[in-house]
Amino acid sequence: MSKRGSVLLVFVLMWNLSSAQKVQLDSIRWITKSLGYLYFSQGHINYNFDGIDGSKSKYAIVKDTLIMSDIYTSSADKFSKKHRDDFKFLIRNITPSRLYLKAIDPNAIKLAGNITYEFTNFKNSYDKDIKFSKLSFLSSTCYGDCPQLGIEILANGDYKLKAGEHVGNYSGTYTGKLSAAQLDTLNYLLKHSELKKMADWEQTGTVADAPNYYFAIEYTNTKKKLSITTNKPPMNVTDLISFMIRSYKSVTLRKVQEKAN
């Protein structure tokens, strides 16, 4: 290779490295083809590596390495001092749309295995072919004040609510209609939620003191139906669930008088 070619290659490599360093790893929600994820919220890092999910309360990004940390006390020393376990991942490459991550120390390998994970920027997930005829959603109570909701929405925006506990003044049965903007938001979230990949999805493990969510989506022009029950929803549907939980407070509702027995 000529000297000029060598200089050009070095320049390109340096430019790519510089460009990658400008991408803020912790400002993006990342997702894999198998619905694994990596995202950062309120100083915590949340992850799912091939079904193994959890969170760490501390993390640092040092040059090309992501370091997740557990900080804890132990009964072995009568909780007298703090201990720290680090989980190190090499950031093999990063762009605004792609992240390649590989565990590089024993703790991280035990957590995520010895493979390179390819994540994509979740904001780019979109399937324009997702169209629904009916959406049903149930949310249970928990040990706190989780609202008990039963919601049905039709493709034209017709809205039906049956509310139970922890819903303030909304207890009872109501009908209403989503505004055009609300219906657009719902359709966007459905297209943005990787629903086709949820057909065979199964929750791993359970969460104590968390509400159960159930939603069923009947698609337009097909007999196919997606039904999901979870109290630990994957990242790709959390925005959709949040929309459904909040929806009854932003729809103009008319109370349905219950028939006397």
Side-chain angles (χ1 to χ4, degrees):
M1 182 182 291
S2 68
K3 182 177 180 181
R4 181 179 178 183
S6 299
V7 171
L8 179 60
L9 177 60
V10 170
F11 172 78
V12 170
L13 291 174
M14 292 295 292
W15 187 88
N16 285 338
L17 179 60
S18 176
S19 297
Q21 288 173 338
K22 292 178 182 178
V23 180
Q24 248 188 290
L25 172 66
D26 52 2
S27 67
I28 298 173
R29 290 187 294 173
W30 304 94
I31 190 166
T32 69
K33 290 181 179 179
S34 58
L35 301 178
Y37 53 79
L38 186 75
Y39 69 96
F40 305 78
S41 177
Q42 298 178 343
H44 292 63
I45 180 169
N46 305 275
Y47 59 84
N48 181 293
F49 297 109
D50 280 345
I52 299 176
D53 58 4
S55 65
K56 305 295 183 188
S57 59
K58 298 291 183 182
Y59 73 89
I61 301 168
V62 182
K63 295 184 179 180
D64 63 354
T65 304
L66 168 65
I67 305 172
M68 308 190 310
S69 301
D70 276 332
I71 298 176
Y72 59 95
T73 57
S74 170
S75 60
D77 52 25
K78 299 181 180 179
F79 308 101
S80 60
K81 63 179 181 179
K82 289 184 178 180
H83 302 268
R84 174 174 177 148
D85 292 334
D86 287 335
F87 304 76
K88 296 182 179 180
F89 293 83
L90 175 66
I91 303 169
R92 301 191 69 167
N93 191 25
I94 183 172
T95 71
S97 59
R98 289 284 190 278
L99 166 66
Y100 295 88
L101 205 65
K102 181 180 175 63
I104 56 172
D105 76 349
N107 284 341
I109 292 171
K110 185 176 180 180
L111 183 68
N114 195 24
I115 64 173
T116 297
Y117 286 85
E118 179 184 357
F119 293 89
T120 60
N121 190 331
F122 180 56
K123 76 175 184 180
N124 297 330
S125 294
Y126 193 78
D127 186 345
K128 62 182 177 58
D129 295 325
I130 296 291
K131 297 177 182 178
F132 81 104
S133 59
K134 181 180 177 181
L135 171 59
S136 302
F137 176 80
L138 299 175
S139 173
S140 77
T141 58
C142 59
Y143 293 135
D145 56 0
C146 307
Q148 184 180 32
L149 304 170
I151 297 171
E152 288 185 358
I153 303 176
L154 300 183
N156 65 358
D158 284 352
Y159 184 98
K160 183 178 179 180
L161 167 70
K162 189 167 186 179
E165 299 179 55
H166 306 302
V167 292
N169 297 324
Y170 290 92
S171 182
T173 301
Y174 297 82
T175 59
K177 195 175 186 73
L178 296 182
S179 68
Q182 290 167 334
L183 188 57
D184 283 347
T185 298
L186 175 59
N187 276 302
Y188 170 79
L189 290 174
L190 289 169
K191 291 174 169 59
H192 184 59
S193 296
E194 297 282 9
L195 294 179
K196 288 181 180 177
K197 295 178 182 177
M198 295 292 291
D200 299 321
W201 180 83
E202 292 184 5
Q203 177 172 308
T204 56
T206 58
V207 179
D209 190 19
N212 281 305
Y213 301 117
Y214 165 83
F215 58 92
I217 301 166
E218 298 177 26
Y219 297 111
T220 302
N221 300 325
T222 178
K223 293 183 179 180
K224 289 184 179 180
K225 179 179 177 179
L226 175 66
S227 299
I228 300 168
T229 302
T230 179
N231 72 344
K232 190 170 64 170
M235 183 195 72
N236 54 293
V237 294
T238 54
D239 292 342
L240 175 60
I241 289 174
S242 294
F243 174 89
M244 297 301 295
I245 291 173
R246 298 192 309 266
S247 63
Y248 71 101
K249 294 183 178 180
S250 57
V251 177
T252 300
L253 298 172
R254 179 179 62 84
K255 190 162 189 177
V256 176
Q257 297 300 321
E258 302 290 343
K259 293 181 180 179
N261 293 329

